[in-house]
Amino acid sequence: AAVGVTAPAPGAATAAASVPPEDQANRLFIGGLPYFLTEPMVKELVEAFGPTKSFKLVVDPDTGNSKGYGFFVYEDQSVTDVACQGLHGMKMGDKTLTVKRATGEKRDTGTTGAAPPPAAALPGTDAAALQAAAAAHLAA
C-alpha cells in the first residue's frame, strides 16, 4: 500500500465519481437540508428550475437516513447559476439551505460575496408546502 493513502469513507467519493468530467464544473452542492426530507422531496425542490441529469442525496449507510446534503447537475447548464441564487439562503424550518457549485474540495467554507436574498417561492414546485412540512416536523 502507498504511504499516506487511505480509503475514503463509504459513499464519500461516489457522488463525485458518478459525475462525468464534462459535468463537474456545473455540479451543485445542496446542504442544510432537514434530515427528514426524502430524496424525491429534495429532487422536486431542485427541479423547480429544470430537470436534473444526476441527483444524489447523501445518506448514512447504516441507517439510510439523510445526512442533510446532496449533489446534483442540471440537464440545462444555463439554469445552474439561477438555481444557486434561487435556492441558496432558502429557509426550511429552522434550517437555511446552502447551494453552491461543488468544488470537489472538502468543507470549502470560503465565500466570495454576500449571499443572495432567500427565495420566497420557486416556480413549478410547492416550496411553501415543503417549508410548512419542515416547520410542522420541527414543531412535533
Side-chain angles (χ1 to χ4, degrees), residues 7-18 27 56-62 67 69 71 106:
T14 56
S18 64
R27 185 168 160 255
K56 174 72 175 162
L57 181 66
V58 179
V59 296
D60 182 295
D62 295 327
K67 287 191 168 191
Y69 67 96
F71 300 91
K106 285 189 166 189

Side-chain angles (χ1 to χ4, degrees), residues 35-130:
Y35 299 116
F36 69 89
L37 291 180
T38 63
E39 185 162 318
M41 294 169 83
V42 179
K43 191 171 182 180
E44 177 185 349
L45 178 67
V46 302
E47 287 190 343
F49 292 92
T52 54
K53 184 185 282 189
S54 65
F55 180 86
K56 174 72 175 162
L57 181 66
V58 179
V59 296
D60 182 295
D62 295 327
T63 66
N65 294 334
S66 166
K67 287 191 168 191
Y69 67 96
F71 300 91
F72 59 102
V73 176
Y74 285 105
E75 286 181 14
D76 179 358
Q77 297 174 0
S78 70
V79 302
T80 300
D81 290 326
V82 174
C84 280
Q85 291 174 357
L87 293 167
H88 184 76
M90 175 184 273
K91 289 290 216 179
M92 297 291 289
D94 66 342
K95 293 186 169 264
T96 302
L97 297 184
T98 299
V99 179
K100 62 184 179 178
R101 288 182 186 267
T103 62
E105 298 173 15
K106 285 189 166 189
R107 306 282 184 206
D108 178 19
T109 57
T111 57
T112 57
L122 300 174
T125 190
D126 195 351
L130 288 173

